[in-house]
Amino acid sequence: MAINTRYIVANKKYAHIFFDLDNTLWDFEANSIETFRDLFIKYDLENRGIVSFDKFIQVYHKHNSLLWEFYRQGKIVKEVLNIRRFSMALDEFGIGDHLLSSNMAGDYVEQSPTKTQLFPDAFAILDYLSSKYRLHIITNGFEEVQFRKLSYSGLRKYFSGIITSEEAGTKKPDPAIFNYALSFCKADVNESVMIGDDEEIDVLGAFNVGMDSILVDYAGKNNQSKATHRINSLQELYDIL
Ligand SMILES: [Mg+2]
């Protein structure tokens, strides 16, 4: 049997595990798609000329990515992003209906955090880890939205410290949010590990404060990662922790 050398590295004695939420435990993409399906039916888009749900999603993603880029560059505010991604997508199908766009935008923001799709084995691994370690969350996002995701999906009970960028006043990968989380959770950096799906935000963020990290690389694409460990599924956490 081949031995995976990644697991031979002696484990530090961790006491605290910090999890990222979106795209690490909570399946953002799957929950988004589920919300879009609900909206597609609720607003009867098929009979308004959008014959294919997949085509609608594709067009929405195109505008969403473009508008997110403008938002990151500070060219538009969040409220504009929220509505424009819908109005531009609908426009492309010949539906110029401002009320519909703003209703869909409002529903999307309201309903997507109530969706409950998690990555495989999330509950089993959290049951296991919570018997051995103190678990916490560090997430970039709004306090209310992220707490709703945690509550609806049944994840909240596993975590003692839940730190959102809104509450901390700064986002990952800023070292300040990691230091804030460590101090809030009374955790020593040498006894802590960050688990997340994003190399820059989670792994390098942790690295810059001297914290170990585990990259959850679902797509299996990042073989240049600086993470202490790189895994392709949550199940692999049993081998490491
Ligand atoms: Mg993430």
Side-chain angles (χ1 to χ4, degrees):
M1 196 176 90
I3 295 168
N4 189 333
T5 50
R6 286 205 326 264
Y7 301 149
I8 292 175
V9 178
N11 283 324
K12 279 190 191 172
K13 288 281 174 237
Y14 296 126
H16 295 269
I17 298 178
F18 292 87
F19 269 96
D20 167 54
L21 180 59
D22 291 340
N23 292 324
T24 296
L25 293 170
W26 197 81
D27 192 337
F28 191 96
E29 199 55 37
N31 289 317
S32 264
I33 295 284
E34 193 184 320
T35 310
F36 281 122
R37 280 198 195 283
D38 294 347
L39 297 183
F40 199 81
I41 293 164
K42 177 177 177 184
Y43 293 104
D44 197 19
L45 296 184
E46 196 173 354
N47 287 317
R48 297 199 57 168
I50 308 178
V51 288
S52 150
F53 175 76
D54 292 343
K55 182 71 186 163
F56 173 69
I57 290 296
Q58 191 192 328
V59 169
Y60 169 87
H61 277 310
K62 181 181 73 180
H63 293 295
N64 186 47
S65 314
L66 196 74
L67 289 162
W68 263 100
E69 195 48 46
F70 289 153
Y71 174 69
R72 277 190 211 100
Q73 294 167 8
K75 289 180 180 162
I76 56 170
V77 296
K78 190 135 198 167
E79 291 70 26
V80 172
L81 163 75
N82 273 343
I83 296 185
R84 283 291 287 281
R85 54 191 181 178
F86 287 95
S87 65
M88 289 172 81
L90 290 170
D91 265 349
E92 208 166 312
F93 293 96
I95 307 171
D97 182 337
H98 187 73
L99 185 62
L100 176 61
S101 310
S102 70
N103 283 338
M104 286 183 75
D107 282 357
Y108 178 76
V109 169
E110 177 67 25
Q111 289 173 21
S112 62
T114 69
K115 300 300 181 190
T116 58
Q117 297 190 63
L118 306 177
F119 286 95
D121 303 311
F123 286 123
I125 192 78
L126 290 171
D127 279 331
Y128 165 76
L129 292 176
S130 61
S131 69
K132 296 178 72 181
Y133 308 93
R134 299 270 286 175
L135 309 184
H136 315 285
I137 292 274
I138 309 179
T139 172
N140 283 351
F142 292 102
E143 187 86 354
E144 197 207 325
V145 174
Q146 301 306 73
F147 270 82
R148 288 179 77 207
K149 290 176 186 171
L150 288 164
S151 299
Y152 277 92
S153 64
L155 288 178
R156 191 168 169 175
K157 65 176 182 194
Y158 293 103
F159 301 98
S160 2
I162 298 169
I163 288 90
T164 67
S165 57
E166 185 182 37
E167 173 204 300
T170 179
K171 286 185 167 80
K172 294 179 288 182
D174 185 352
I177 191 170
F178 289 91
N179 289 325
Y180 177 96
L182 287 165
S183 128
F184 184 86
C185 301
K186 300 183 173 54
D188 185 319
V189 70
N190 295 311
E191 295 176 348
S192 300
V193 59
M194 176 77 209
I195 302 177
D197 69 295
D198 193 290
E199 175 72 13
E200 197 173 325
I201 290 174
D202 301 309
V203 171
L204 295 182
F207 183 82
N208 287 333
V209 295
M211 195 192 293
D212 279 6
S213 63
I214 299 172
L215 178 71
V216 191
D217 184 12
Y218 287 115
K221 283 193 288 204
N222 195 339
N223 50 21
Q224 306 290 319
S225 177
K226 279 202 157 53
T228 319
H229 303 275
R230 180 170 69 104
I231 57 178
N232 301 127
S233 69
L234 292 175
Q235 221 170 22
E236 289 174 64
L237 289 173
Y238 290 116
D239 301 327
I240 302 172
L241 300 166

